[in-house]
Structures are given as C-alpha cells and as structure tokens.
Amino acid sequence: MKHIMNYQNSEEMLCTLEMADKEGHLPEVIMESFVEKPFTMLDLWICREYFYRLEKDSLLKYPVLVTHIALICAMDGKLDQAKEYISLLGETPR
C-alpha cells in the first residue's frame, strides 16, 4: 500500500498526511514518507503537526519514528519532551 510517490511541493505532502490522518493510516504514511525515502529537515518541520498526532502505540510499533519526533521536539525547543520520547527506546549501550 504505497500512498506516496514523489511530492511536487510541501502542500501536496501536507494534503497527503491530512488524508492519511482522516483515513486512519497516518503512521504508515509517515513511515513511507520519512523513513523509506529521503526527506529534508524543512519537510520534517513543516509536517511536525502530524508527528505530534502520533499515539504512543504507533511510536512503539514503529520505533524509528521516536527519533523523528524527538528531533522535532528538540527543534521546537521542547527538550524535556524530546528526552521523554528518547526514553521509549531504552538505555543507550556503552
């Protein structure tokens, strides 16, 4: 189920995420858009609202998205919240 191929612009990306959110498959579309293909930090920032909508269950199902949401939080100045998200991944090995 590939929903996203190539975006022409940020508006198209936002529309796709909005539709995915309404249809109940936002985590899968975010995975396709921000894990399975390259993206820019600007794209990540523009789409941050959709990452903030992800439930904890989705983050546990797709732990790679924890790094994305933690980065967004850090970029947004929410460092304590970023640390909370990273704690979902467990202890960092030494």
Side-chain angles (χ1 to χ4, degrees):
M1 161 170 90
K2 294 288 182 192
H3 301 281
I4 299 171
M5 299 311 281
N6 292 313
Y7 294 115
Q8 299 299 313
N9 57 45
S10 298
E11 246 180 77
E12 185 179 339
M13 181 184 290
L14 289 169
C15 287
T16 301
L17 292 174
E18 181 65 30
M19 185 182 310
D21 190 28
K22 286 179 183 175
E23 294 175 355
H25 52 266
L26 181 62
E28 294 83 6
V29 173
I30 286 179
M31 279 291 295
E32 291 172 12
S33 301
F34 292 94
V35 175
E36 296 177 10
K37 66 181 198 172
F39 63 91
T40 67
M41 286 297 109
L42 180 58
D43 290 337
L44 185 66
W45 183 249
I46 289 170
C47 296
R48 67 191 179 280
E49 148 187 9
Y50 295 97
F51 279 87
Y52 283 133
R53 292 180 187 181
L54 293 174
E55 308 251 339
K56 186 177 179 180
D57 291 344
S58 296
L59 294 173
L60 294 174
K61 183 176 179 181
Y62 304 108
V64 69
L65 296 180
V66 171
T67 60
H68 291 66
I69 188 71
L71 176 59
I72 290 168
C73 287
M75 292 168 63
D76 212 4
K78 300 174 182 178
L79 299 181
D80 289 337
Q81 193 174 358
K83 288 178 186 178
E84 286 178 34
Y85 280 117
I86 291 299
S87 73
L88 294 173
L89 299 176
E91 294 294 317
T92 303
R94 292 185 180 237

